[in-house]
Amino acid sequence: MRDNPWKRAQAQLHSAASHLKLPGALVERLENPDRMLEVSVPVEMDDGRTETFHGYRVQHNNIRGPYKGGIRYHPKVDMDEVKALAFWMTVKNAVVDVPFGGAKGGITVDPKKLSEGELERLTRSFTQEIAPAIGPKLDVPAPDVNTNPKIMQWIREEYSKIAGKDTPAVVTGKPIEHGGSEGRVEATGLGGFYVLAQVLNLSGRKGRGLSVAIQGFGNVGSHLAECLKDAGFRIVAVSDSKGGLYVPKGIKDLKAVAQCKERSGKLAGCYCVGSVCDLSNMETLGGRDISPEEVLTLPADIVAPAALENAITKENASAIEASIVLEMANGPTTREADKILNARHVLVIPDVLANSGGVAVSYFEWHQNMHGDVWKKEEVFAKLKEKMDAASRAVYDASKEYNVPLRDAAYIVALKRLSLQ
Ligand code: GLU
């Protein structure tokens, strides 16, 4: 049975709350989202039919500021998933200390089956449905799984039409030429790297030379891989939803691999030597093909699930060989798997810390839009590093103070900040 992410979110909340003396009203408020919108999204398809999709926007709470969180397009999106993701945004935004509450949205759709025109009409139709509930000081969407800067720009345009004035700050993750922030595209992967580096440092471990296997090679996974490789880590495996490659000596040219995936639509077979990527290079590189699941249990020092929820379950948790799990996806580890990993002393760097670089730079984008500023990339990265270092330290210190795993520690940091408002 699929692990219900909303039930898991509740269990995580209660586990952390048990370490603190919190006002009952706060815990009760966090147990339920402030508002849940479920909308029908009619779309005119290319063949002239009108198809109706289901869309969601959950506003978990705005204790610390406007609701904030991404929008995902995926066939498995449902209300419980969006509720959990919205709750995790509340926690994440408090951990990384941006002045936002938590929200999430989604549409149950396989966007890969839509034409560009259908995708645009879907996005505009969804924006019309949720427009009364969003706004720069109310609720600010952003990209998530299968959504991107172009889609964010359609949201901004559609919302601006309805609002009667151009409103760039209604959404973050826009293209740079349309009010997006420098560094937003790299932010989640780079932020994950900063967190890992800081946690390794605080726990007295060395990073250079450690091997890493990454599940998911979208925006997050591919940028994480680049940053880690530049810092001297060895990327031994990468995978996408169709499969991947395992090269124990380390994948040298990640850019060529990314281009190969772009061209062929999949990672499998992207054995690149120079700019030539094909199967005949497999032997030269000493590599082999792997499945999207196998990537998690390969011999590697660090494994980074950067795809979807429920990647690490009680079925495969015992088989994980890595001593560190860097959760770049939201909710990749089920509750039972978490227990198994903790019992085996695997260091789990939780999603609400590890992937919070994305929303940190979303905050920078929103701030620039609100103040008519434009920051340079170096400035954005320096500010991002500061935020990630501070969040990592706060979580690490709480784990020592309360003698709990980093996930509970992150929730403790967040709950304390939420209770101060
Ligand atoms: N979807 C991203 C996340 O899960 C980013 C959210 C945002 O930037 O608002 O953190």
Side-chain angles (χ1 to χ4, degrees), residues 8-22 26-27 30 87 91 95 335 338 352 398 402 404-416 418:
R8 189 191 331 155
Q10 297 277 307
Q12 288 164 339
L13 167 66
H14 291 124
S15 163
S18 71
H19 296 275
L20 302 169
K21 280 200 184 67
L22 293 171
L26 174 66
V27 179
L30 296 172
F87 168 76
V91 177
V95 167
R335 194 91 186 128
D338 217 16
V352 289
Y402 291 88
V404 291
L406 293 177
R407 189 185 317 281
D408 275 319
Y411 279 67
I412 287 172
V413 168
L415 289 172
K416 282 188 172 176
L418 282 154

Side-chain angles (χ1 to χ4, degrees), residues 57 68-72 85 89 92-93 100 103-104 140-145 147 172-173 184 188 330 355-363:
R57 185 74 183 166
K68 180 92 191 78
I71 291 177
R72 69 170 53 180
L85 290 163
M89 286 309 302
K92 187 187 306 185
N93 291 338
F100 290 129
K104 201 78 168 202
V140 185
D144 197 74
V145 174
T147 55
T172 59
R184 175 63 185 86
T188 313
N330 287 309
N355 72 29
S356 64
V359 75
V361 176
S362 272
Y363 165 59

Side-chain angles (χ1 to χ4, degrees), residues 173-307:
K174 299 177 292 292
I176 293 176
E177 63 280 15
H178 291 292
S181 178
E182 289 284 352
R184 175 63 185 86
V185 170
E186 302 93 324
T188 313
L190 179 60
F193 162 67
Y194 287 149
V195 169
L196 176 67
Q198 186 65 255
V199 171
L200 287 170
N201 181 32
L202 290 167
S203 57
R205 298 173 220 220
K206 271 221 186 71
R208 249 197 128 64
L210 292 183
S211 57
V212 189
I214 303 177
Q215 183 193 49
F217 206 66
N219 177 44
V220 178
S222 59
H223 283 108
L224 174 74
E226 282 286 347
C227 298
L228 288 170
K229 191 177 151 277
D230 289 350
F233 291 76
R234 194 159 40 97
I235 311 301
V236 292
V238 290
S239 72
D240 61 19
S241 59
K242 298 178 193 114
L245 35 141
Y246 173 43
V247 181
K249 281 189 280 189
I251 299 169
K252 291 271 158 356
D253 197 340
L254 286 161
K255 286 210 174 64
V257 172
Q259 280 161 9
C260 169
K261 177 179 158 71
E262 184 78 28
R263 261 196 322 272
S264 65
K266 55 181 174 21
L267 268 177
C270 288
Y271 295 96
C272 306
V273 175
S275 57
V276 181
C277 302
D278 66 30
L279 274 178
S280 59
N281 286 329
M282 191 162 86
E283 227 165 276
T284 326
L285 294 172
R288 70 173 171 85
D289 291 342
I290 49 167
S291 71
E293 295 77 37
E294 195 185 350
V295 72
L296 298 169
T297 52
L298 292 169
D301 298 307
I302 300 166
V303 59

Side-chain angles (χ1 to χ4, degrees), residues 300-360:
D301 298 307
I302 300 166
V303 59
L308 290 168
E309 295 97 84
N310 301 353
I312 306 180
T313 63
K314 67 175 187 311
E315 277 76 35
N316 62 1
S318 310
I320 287 188
E321 292 197 27
S323 56
I324 297 178
V325 173
L326 182 67
E327 292 189 336
M328 297 305 294
N330 287 309
T333 310
T334 67
R335 194 91 186 128
E336 286 147 321
D338 217 16
K339 284 188 190 139
I340 297 171
L341 294 176
N342 285 333
R344 294 182 52 220
H345 303 290
V346 175
L347 184 68
V348 180
I349 306 180
D351 48 5
V352 289
L353 172 64
N355 72 29
S356 64
V359 75

Side-chain angles (χ1 to χ4, degrees), residues 377-388:
K377 199 180 236 178
E378 300 74 54
E379 197 178 344
V380 170
F381 286 169
K383 287 188 159 80
L384 174 65
K385 182 168 186 320
E386 229 172 85
K387 278 245 165 268
M388 304 316 290

